[in-house]
Amino acid sequence: MTFAATILTLYPEMFPGPLGVSLAGRALREGGWRCDPVQIRDFATDRHRSVDDTPAGGGAGMVLRADVLAAAVDSVADDRPILAMTPRGRPLSQAKVRAIAGGPGVIILCGRFEGFDERIFAGRAIEEVSIGDYILSGGEMGALVLLDACIRLLPGVMGAASSGVDESFETGLLEYPQYTRPFDWEGRTIPEVLRSGDHARIAAWRKSMAETDTRLRRPDLWERHEGARVRPPSGARHEKD
């Protein structure tokens, strides 16, 4: 089954963009996934092809109209999840990416201007998703990030099935540091343990470094990781002393 990505956007020429090169581009050319950008403006009903209007209650900027957005969504809706890229959404996680990549594809709604008329989320089953705590000019860059994260997990895209297993966030930790040739670069050498050939020592070192780097660089991830390690299984009963 081909992973189908439909992107509802005011700038369809932005797709596939960087997803048309490297591994994602090869997979696209070989039919491993499909990219279908759709122009939201095609669903406007007035002669000016208007997709936005001034904010109710006043304020700066323009807001994307719910009626136009709904018409665009309805034209492509099927059994795929529909996501809207917005800083007001839930943060995108690797677990979410894996769930999407394991399905038939995704429909992505890209915002512009001041965002969406809130009624679109009450009227349609659309999940709001954010790629980080910062503001972009529109949802297209977020859509590209989301799709890149999904496409690399599709069968055959990365090559070896284990290629992504040890990467950051896959285990709830940041990835351990990586090294390669030359052995000595500007007086800095590859850690001895990585040259030892002792796979058990190497695995222990990598685990330790992943935990240390996560604790120091991403205490939020470390807190969740530690919580996951000590949390009892679902439904477990605790005996009183």
Side-chain angles (χ1 to χ4, degrees):
M1 179 174 59
T2 299
F3 183 90
T6 299
I7 307 97
L8 303 174
T9 172
L10 293 173
Y11 299 97
E13 61 273 17
M14 294 181 68
F15 298 89
L19 300 179
V21 299
S22 190
L23 298 178
R26 183 179 67 186
L28 180 62
R29 292 187 296 273
E30 294 176 352
W33 69 287
R34 197 174 76 234
C35 180
D36 301 317
V38 175
Q39 172 59 265
I40 294 174
R41 202 174 294 279
D42 290 343
F43 300 88
T45 57
D46 66 335
R47 64 188 182 90
H48 299 295
R49 302 178 75 202
S50 302
V51 298
D52 57 354
D53 210 329
T54 55
M62 303 289 281
V63 178
L64 288 168
R65 292 171 45 161
D67 57 341
V68 177
L69 294 173
V73 168
D74 291 346
S75 74
V76 297
D78 49 28
D79 60 339
R80 293 172 293 167
I82 307 173
L83 309 181
M85 307 308 301
T86 166
R88 298 182 67 238
R90 292 184 178 180
L92 181 65
S93 68
Q94 188 65 15
K96 181 66 174 179
V97 166
R98 281 204 169 274
I100 297 171
V106 65
I107 298 169
I108 306 176
L109 180 59
C110 299
R112 281 275 161 175
F113 316 125
E114 290 301 309
F116 307 101
D117 183 316
E118 188 69 14
R119 291 173 294 179
I120 188 63
F121 302 115
R124 299 294 183 272
I126 301 173
E127 181 179 356
E128 299 177 78
V129 175
S130 170
I131 63 164
D133 297 339
Y134 44 84
I135 306 299
L136 300 172
S137 299
E140 288 78 13
M141 296 303 294
L144 289 168
V145 168
L146 188 153
L147 288 175
D148 182 74
C150 292
I151 293 162
R152 62 190 303 276
L153 298 182
L154 299 180
V157 173
M158 287 196 299
S162 61
S163 295
V165 172
D166 289 332
E167 293 180 323
S168 294
F169 312 117
E170 285 291 351
T171 61
L173 299 171
L174 297 180
E175 187 180 5
Y176 48 79
Q178 297 280 11
Y179 297 86
T180 189
R181 297 182 181 85
F183 163 72
D184 188 316
W185 176 73
E186 296 187 351
R188 296 170 174 84
T189 59
I190 296 173
E192 183 276 331
V193 64
L194 299 180
R195 299 177 282 115
S196 67
D198 187 327
H199 297 297
R201 283 185 61 205
I202 292 171
W205 180 87
R206 286 174 169 169
K207 180 176 184 293
S208 174
M209 292 301 298
E211 292 177 343
T212 298
D213 284 355
T214 303
R215 179 169 52 83
L216 295 177
R217 301 183 184 195
R218 290 291 304 274
D220 57 321
L221 287 180
W222 179 250
E223 183 176 349
R224 289 201 296 271
H225 176 71
E226 284 294 279
R229 291 174 61 180
V230 301
R231 188 180 300 117
S234 177
R237 300 180 61 182
H238 299 274
E239 297 293 334
K240 294 182 178 181
D241 295 330

